[in-house]
Amino acid sequence: MWILSYHRQHSSCHSCPRNAYCVNGTHCTCQHGYESQQKFFTFPLTICEDSNECAPPISLYCGVNAVCKNIPGSYYCQCNSGYRLLSGGIQFNSSNENTCQAITSSITPPTEDKEKLQQVVSKLESLVNNKTHWENAEKGEVATMATLILQKVESHVLEIALKAPDQKVQKVHNRSIAVETRVVTNNCSEGGKIFNLQAEKNSVDIDCNDIVQGNIQGPSAVAFISYDSLGEIINATFFRERNESDPVYLNSRVVSVAVGPKRNISLSKPVTLIFQHTEKNRNSKTTFCVYWKSSEEGNHWSTDGCDLIHVNKSHTICNSTHLSSFAVLVAFTNQEDDPLLTVITYVGLGLSLLCLFLAALTFLLCKAIQNISTSLHLHLSLCLFLAHLLFLIGINQTEPKVLCAIIAGALHYLYLAAFTWMLLEGLHLFLTARNLTVVNYSSVSKHMKKVMFPVGYGVPAVIVAISAASKPHLYGTSAWCWLQLAEGFIWGFLGPVCAIICVNLVFLLLVFWILKRKLSSLNNEVSTIQNTKMLTFKAIAQLFILGCTWCLGMLQVGSAARVMTYLFTIVNSLQGIFIFLVYCLFSQQVWKQYQKWFREIVKSKSETETHTLSTTQTRHKTSEMA
């Protein structure tokens, strides 16, 4: 009865989700312009998504010189840049209403204003062409002069647009600059209006409300400016976040987006910028969306507030939460894909996965060695096994970007977890040496059982959660599903790793000091000393296995980069083999257990063969008697 009542309550009009309405009082269906997986449904959490009428399979046709624009729940048609409706309107609903005509009077601004703009352009051209001036000037002076040029061009272009508000669209093309401006005089009466401006095959989409900026009296304008040669002056050397090991190049024109009469920097909605590459990406490693930042520290390219949305060989799409001058920087790697490194990686990680699997089985099934130390080894092996497996499967899965970001986050967590369990190994070694007793000492076990799981799996989760919450867009690159170098994001991994390695080194030094200090007083406790020495040897080996490999990775710079790359790849891919050797094959107890298992297998096989032979002989005798 309760279930029936619940079903009725949740099948009523009151429970239909957003953008849906009730049908016959029993089912819900999406409103016009929205769709769901089922036409009629009762589940209250069903999502009605916007139907994009402008995209396949619908692809509404608006007629010549016009384009379809999708908005939530609907769409509208709009004349292309340089065209307008005969009625003077801004949008229409179908190709039957298309009266888009070329704007002949607005292509050329008033003569006086055009001469002012031409003066700015001429000054820019003379400055760009004066190579001696730029080469002799200091870097700070170059940045300051370029900033002044950008600001002056923006102010003059907006001034021209606002002086002729009846000319809604203006375009100016010059050898060095391409400009498009839009004027808004109706205070954004059309809700959800997005303006698209284009210049030299670059474009920007900006919300009308960010142009008008509230209740400004009079017209407002937006200007989109594309500079042809300015990138040669404010080039990639002004990008402070670049990685010195790989060259960084400006791979687009410098563009500016500005609004007036009141200058607006922050936006209610991000603008979308589409850049055409000046050259097709070759061995691109990382793409950066950057803007020209003016600060007390100087003028330079920065990625703050600029997010990479999509990149292919010919174009890059970026989002920005503020208005400025923008460009695309690309970091290229000079090294082609090395097939030998690929073979080493896959063969080494394959062997490591096998050894980590055998080590985990040993830790689980070998009762003679099961204690706190073995539990630490087990979880370390599991984390490395999952990390290596995910690396082999997903490190190259860069599309879709959401999946790549998830893989990068999972790898971040698993490798941090492996290092955290290594830290617990170092702590356990120190506590054992301090008590000078066997590994399963009750006091050590009591403390370790309380902290091992919250620390081993909780601390990496907190670090990854903070990283993902602060800068989720930096998970995944255009080449690998790993952490990006931009904004120092990689230190979300390297920082904890370096800290763990340093702490474990301190633990090892303390253990050596304890052994040296109390060695003479433990002449009659040889087994204890041997166990502690063996544990110390294993911890040192583990510190080398995990710690030194990543240190080699950080040393891949300069002339020794290629050698360090090979060393890093070889040693890092064989981690599982080292762990199996140190913790299993070098242990007498494990060897005894292996021998016991081997004897049991041989005995079982022998008994099976004897039983089979006996059964065969019995059947043979029975057949002879018959």
Side-chain angles (χ1 to χ4, degrees):
M1 183 65 68
W2 180 83
I3 296 176
L4 179 60
S5 174
Y6 177 86
H7 176 74
R8 288 176 178 173
Q9 291 175 6
H10 287 74
S11 298
S12 66
C13 295
H14 298 290
S15 62
C16 288
R18 186 179 180 183
N19 301 322
Y21 63 93
C22 187
V23 178
N24 297 328
T26 58
H27 291 76
C28 297
T29 188
C30 293
Q31 296 175 0
H32 180 72
Y34 296 87
E35 60 184 0
S36 63
Q37 293 182 349
Q38 295 180 339
K39 185 174 181 180
F40 299 100
F41 53 89
T42 58
F43 185 55
L45 298 181
T46 301
I47 298 176
C48 289
E49 298 179 336
D50 173 52
S51 301
N52 191 346
E53 293 87 356
C54 301
I58 303 177
S59 299
L60 287 172
Y61 178 63
C62 291
V64 295
N65 302 323
V67 64
C68 178
K69 296 286 186 177
N70 183 67
I71 59 175
S74 186
Y75 71 97
Y76 64 88
C77 295
Q78 176 181 302
C79 295
N80 290 335
S81 300
Y83 295 85
R84 67 179 177 185
L85 295 171
L86 289 177
S87 62
I90 298 177
Q91 62 187 45
F92 52 98
N93 295 324
S94 67
S95 58
N96 297 331
E97 302 174 10
N98 186 335
T99 59
C100 295
Q101 299 292 324
I103 305 173
T104 57
S105 60
S106 62
I107 297 296
T108 305
T111 305
E112 182 181 351
D113 293 327
K114 187 175 181 180
E115 289 178 355
K116 291 181 180 179
L117 180 60
Q118 187 62 45
Q119 291 175 4
V120 176
V121 173
S122 299
K123 185 175 181 180
L124 173 64
E125 288 179 343
S126 63
L127 287 172
V128 171
N129 295 329
N130 189 355
K131 302 295 184 181
T132 305
H133 174 75
W134 295 108
E135 291 174 357
N136 295 334
E138 295 182 357
K139 192 172 182 180
E141 184 181 348
V142 171
T144 301
M145 182 62 70
T147 303
L148 292 175
I149 291 173
L150 291 169
Q151 293 175 351
K152 193 167 185 180
V153 172
E154 289 176 10
S155 62
H156 275 271
V157 168
L158 289 172
E159 182 182 353
I160 293 169
L162 292 170
K163 280 186 176 181
D166 57 320
Q167 300 176 9
K168 297 289 182 68
V169 179
Q170 294 189 30
K171 290 189 176 183
V172 176
H173 294 275
N174 193 281
R175 187 175 62 181
S176 298
I177 299 179
V179 179
E180 180 175 343
T181 63
R182 294 288 182 96
V183 178
V184 180
T185 58
N186 56 5
N187 202 23
C188 291
S189 58
E190 308 90 357
K193 178 71 174 177
I194 302 295
F195 285 102
N196 175 265
L197 288 80
Q198 301 180 10
E200 289 296 330
K201 299 182 181 180
N202 302 305
S203 67
V204 62
D205 289 335
I206 183 171
D207 190 90
C208 182
N209 293 319
D210 289 319
I211 301 174
V212 174
Q213 310 168 52
N215 299 321
I216 292 181
Q217 299 296 326
S220 300
V222 56
F224 184 57
I225 308 164
S226 175
Y227 300 89
D228 183 38
S229 304
L230 192 59
E232 298 177 7
I233 299 172
I234 48 175
N235 51 36
T237 60
F238 290 89
F239 185 50
R240 300 178 179 178
E241 303 166 28
R242 61 192 177 124
N243 183 8
E244 298 293 342
S245 62
D246 293 321
V248 180
Y249 301 97
L250 196 72
N251 199 30
S252 73
R253 287 181 170 87
V254 177
V255 301
S256 296
V257 186
V259 298
K262 182 181 178 182
R263 183 176 177 82
N264 184 24
I265 299 177
S266 60
L267 303 171
S268 60
K269 295 181 181 179
V271 295
T272 299
L273 296 142
I274 301 179
F275 296 89
Q276 185 183 49
H277 297 162
T278 53
E279 62 176 287
K280 289 186 178 181
N281 285 354
R282 41 185 196 270
N283 300 319
S284 62
K285 184 178 182 181
T286 307
T287 300
F288 302 95
C289 297
V290 295
Y291 83 102
W292 188 248
K293 182 177 181 180
S294 297
S295 64
E296 296 179 356
E297 301 175 356
N299 305 295
H300 59 92
W301 292 114
S302 173
T303 59
D304 295 340
C306 296
D307 297 329
L308 176 66
I309 304 301
H310 179 72
V311 61
N312 56 31
K313 291 184 177 180
S314 60
H315 289 83
T316 293
I317 302 176
C318 305
N319 269 1
S320 176
T321 58
H322 48 73
L323 299 183
S324 181
S325 297
F326 304 92
V328 171
L329 296 174
V330 179
F332 292 109
T333 175
N334 294 324
Q335 297 181 358
E336 299 289 339
D337 291 337
D338 192 333
L340 180 58
L341 282 176
T342 303
V343 172
I344 292 173
T345 299
Y346 280 89
V347 173
L349 289 182
L351 293 174
S352 284
L353 287 173
L354 175 61
C355 290
L356 287 170
F357 178 73
L358 293 176
L361 285 180
T362 300
F363 300 143
L364 283 172
L365 301 179
C366 187
K367 296 181 179 180
I369 62 171
Q370 287 181 353
N371 47 45
I372 293 297
S373 181
T374 306
S375 297
L376 296 173
H377 304 337
L378 173 62
H379 291 284
L380 171 62
S381 300
L382 289 176
C383 290
L384 275 179
F385 179 86
L386 294 175
H388 288 344
L389 182 62
L390 183 59
F391 182 93
L392 283 177
I393 296 174
I395 192 66
N396 295 320
Q397 303 297 323
T398 55
E399 295 292 342
K401 292 194 173 296
V402 173
L403 176 62
C404 184
I406 293 173
I407 293 173
L411 286 173
H412 187 193
Y413 174 77
L414 289 172
Y415 280 120
L416 276 183
F419 274 95
T420 307
W421 284 103
M422 186 185 76
L423 175 64
L424 292 172
E425 293 262 16
L427 175 61
H428 182 249
L429 167 68
F430 169 71
L431 294 176
T432 302
R434 188 191 65 177
N435 288 281
L436 289 177
T437 185
V438 294
V439 175
N440 60 348
Y441 183 76
S442 59
S443 177
V444 175
S445 301
K446 181 179 179 181
H447 288 91
M448 290 302 298
K449 286 180 179 180
K450 289 182 179 180
V451 302
M452 57 188 290
F453 288 104
V455 173
Y457 292 113
V459 171
V462 171
I463 296 174
V464 174
I466 294 174
S467 300
S470 60
K471 298 175 182 177
H473 60 284
L474 295 181
Y475 276 108
T477 71
S478 58
W480 310 104
C481 295
W482 185 234
L483 282 65
Q484 295 187 23
L485 300 177
E487 303 179 33
F489 190 65
I490 189 65
W491 286 100
F493 173 73
L494 293 181
V497 166
C498 292
I500 288 172
I501 293 174
C502 292
V503 172
N504 267 358
L505 281 173
V506 173
F507 282 147
L508 285 175
L509 293 175
L510 290 174
V511 168
F512 292 152
W513 178 74
I514 291 172
L515 287 175
K516 181 179 179 180
R517 180 179 141 185
K518 296 191 176 182
L519 187 62
S520 59
S521 62
L522 294 173
N523 293 329
N524 297 325
E525 300 180 25
V526 177
S527 61
T528 300
I529 297 176
Q530 290 178 343
N531 287 336
T532 306
K533 285 183 176 181
M534 178 57 69
L535 189 59
T536 303
F537 162 73
K538 293 178 179 179
I540 294 173
Q542 180 179 295
L543 183 65
F544 169 79
I545 293 168
L546 285 178
C548 292
T549 56
W550 291 96
C551 291
L552 291 172
M554 290 182 245
L555 294 175
Q556 296 181 41
V557 293
S559 58
R562 193 166 185 82
V563 176
M564 290 299 174
T565 300
Y566 273 96
L567 289 175
F568 172 77
T569 304
I570 293 171
V571 180
N572 203 46
S573 62
L574 298 178
Q575 289 175 340
I577 299 175
F578 294 148
I579 288 177
F580 183 65
L581 287 173
V582 171
Y583 292 117
C584 296
L585 298 186
F586 289 174
S587 172
Q588 293 182 355
Q589 290 177 308
V590 173
W591 265 111
K592 291 180 181 179
Q593 185 65 50
Y594 283 166
Q595 292 173 357
K596 182 180 178 181
W597 287 340
F598 180 75
R599 287 194 298 267
E600 290 178 353
I601 292 173
V602 171
K603 182 179 179 181
S604 176
K605 183 177 180 181
S606 177
E607 290 177 352
T608 301
E609 291 177 351
T610 302
H611 176 73
T612 303
L613 180 61
S614 176
T615 302
T616 304
Q617 291 176 351
T618 301
R619 289 178 179 177
H620 182 68
K621 289 181 180 179
T622 302
S623 62
E624 288 180 349
M625 292 177 64

